[in-house]
């Protein structure tokens, strides 16, 4: 509800290890020999008709994670703030997300997703992306205010060989009427192993934004 805040724990042990996403094969920041990743703060799997709304705040309190990462103290990928896997009919509306340790709003392997009227406020730290639809279909992202240290929105579909093998594209995505601050505006990639199709970007405002549209993918990525 409005006025309520969910705070991420400052204790690393409160974030258990979980398996990597199948379209990534390993954690995104893992050291050699490690395949697990840290559990996101808010995490849902195999859900239908999920709505997250109410005007409250989810604060990942990511400052410790930024330090641990910069000092090489982590073997695995930092925890995201909100991840939904294999979801259908997902609505995220009128929320504030801030200080995410890693990617902020990450719908992955989802169908029919709406992210609207949200504020995403992260410091200028690498990999604190705002909204990352990943191997998902029918995604609508509108009327949000986003500022972060990386991509405000990044459309993804799996990482290198694992993404190609998994083979699920991101497609039919509309991004409109958002305000983008520092960071890149809309990125496609760099993880595009499953392909990216039919994306629409229109009527967005860029303020101190690095790249408005940033297409980034190595030659062996994507389809």
């Amino acid at each position: 509800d409005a006025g309520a805040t969910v705070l991420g724990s400052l204790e690393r042990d409160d974030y258990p290890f979980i398996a990597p996403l199948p379209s990534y094969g390993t954690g995104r920041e893992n050291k050699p020999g490690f395949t697990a990743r840290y559990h996101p703060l808010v995490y849902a799997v195999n859900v239908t008709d999920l709505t997250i709304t109410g005007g409250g705040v989810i604060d990942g309190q990511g400052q410790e994670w930024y330090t641990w990462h910069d000092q090489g103290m982590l073997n695995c990928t930092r925890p995201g703030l909100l991840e939904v896997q294999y979801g259908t009919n997902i609505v995220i509306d009128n929320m504030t997300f801030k200080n995410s340790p890693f990617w902020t709003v990450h719908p992955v392997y989802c169908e029919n997703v709406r992210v609207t009227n949200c504020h995403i406020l992260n410091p200028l730290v690498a990999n604190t992306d705002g909204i990352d639809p990943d191997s998902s279909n029918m995604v609508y992202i509108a009327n949000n205010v986003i500022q972060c240290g990386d991509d405000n929105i990044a459309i993804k579909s799996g990482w290198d060989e694992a993404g190609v093998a998994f083979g699920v594209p991101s497609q039919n995505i509309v991004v409109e009427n958002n305000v983008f601050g520092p960071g890149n505006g809309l990125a496609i990639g760099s993880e595009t192993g499953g392909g990216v199709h039919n994306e629409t970007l229109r009527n967005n405002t860029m303020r101190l934004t690095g790249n408005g549209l940033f297409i980034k993918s190595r030659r062996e990525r994507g389809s």
Side-chain angles (χ1 to χ4, degrees):
D1 293 336
T5 299
V6 174
L7 295 175
S9 172
L10 298 177
E11 298 295 327
R12 201 185 317 175
D13 290 344
D14 288 335
Y15 297 83
F17 294 127
I18 61 174
L21 292 164
S23 57
Y24 283 74
T26 184
R28 189 62 179 81
E29 299 178 324
N30 285 25
K31 292 180 179 178
F34 292 86
T35 59
R37 60 193 180 110
Y38 285 102
H39 193 292
L41 177 60
V42 181
Y43 185 51
V45 182
N46 294 321
V47 292
T48 301
D49 299 328
L50 171 67
T51 297
I52 299 173
T53 189
V57 177
I58 300 178
D59 184 347
Q61 300 199 106
Q63 291 82 1
E64 292 291 335
W65 291 97
Y66 310 147
T67 300
W68 294 331
H69 173 70
D70 291 345
Q71 295 180 352
M73 298 171 62
L74 301 175
N75 293 321
C76 302
T77 305
R78 291 168 280 167
L81 199 63
L82 167 62
E83 180 175 296
V84 180
Q85 281 188 49
Y86 300 106
T88 302
N89 302 333
I90 308 302
V91 175
I92 302 166
D93 180 71
N94 188 30
M95 294 290 298
T96 295
F97 302 95
K98 58 192 295 187
N99 301 316
S100 177
F102 193 63
W103 298 344
T104 306
V105 176
H106 186 207
V108 56
Y109 323 138
C110 289
E111 182 94 12
N112 194 19
V113 177
R114 296 177 63 89
V115 184
T116 54
N117 305 305
C118 292
H119 284 74
I120 298 176
L121 308 171
N122 292 326
L124 303 182
V125 175
N127 288 317
T128 55
D129 297 7
I131 304 170
D132 289 359
D134 197 340
S135 294
S136 292
N137 182 34
M138 300 297 295
V139 180
Y140 183 67
I141 301 171
N143 303 310
N144 303 287
V145 177
I146 308 171
Q147 62 179 47
C148 62
D150 210 314
D151 302 320
N152 285 270
I153 295 173
I155 299 173
K156 303 177 181 290
S157 63
W159 193 21
D160 291 357
E161 293 87 352
V164 173
F166 194 72
V168 176
S170 276
Q171 57 188 348
N172 304 315
I173 297 175
V174 175
V175 178
E176 65 180 3
N177 302 324
N178 300 283
V179 177
F180 297 141
N184 297 307
L186 171 71
I188 298 176
S190 62
E191 304 89 345
T192 55
V196 174
H197 312 295
N198 193 27
E199 322 301 332
T200 301
L201 171 68
R202 62 190 175 210
N203 197 36
N204 297 281
T205 301
M206 317 286 178
R207 296 175 178 167
L208 302 177
T209 305
N211 297 288
L213 176 61
F214 192 18
I215 300 174
K216 48 181 181 175
S217 182
R218 293 204 304 265
R219 184 171 297 174
E220 68 272 19
R221 291 182 176 178
S223 62

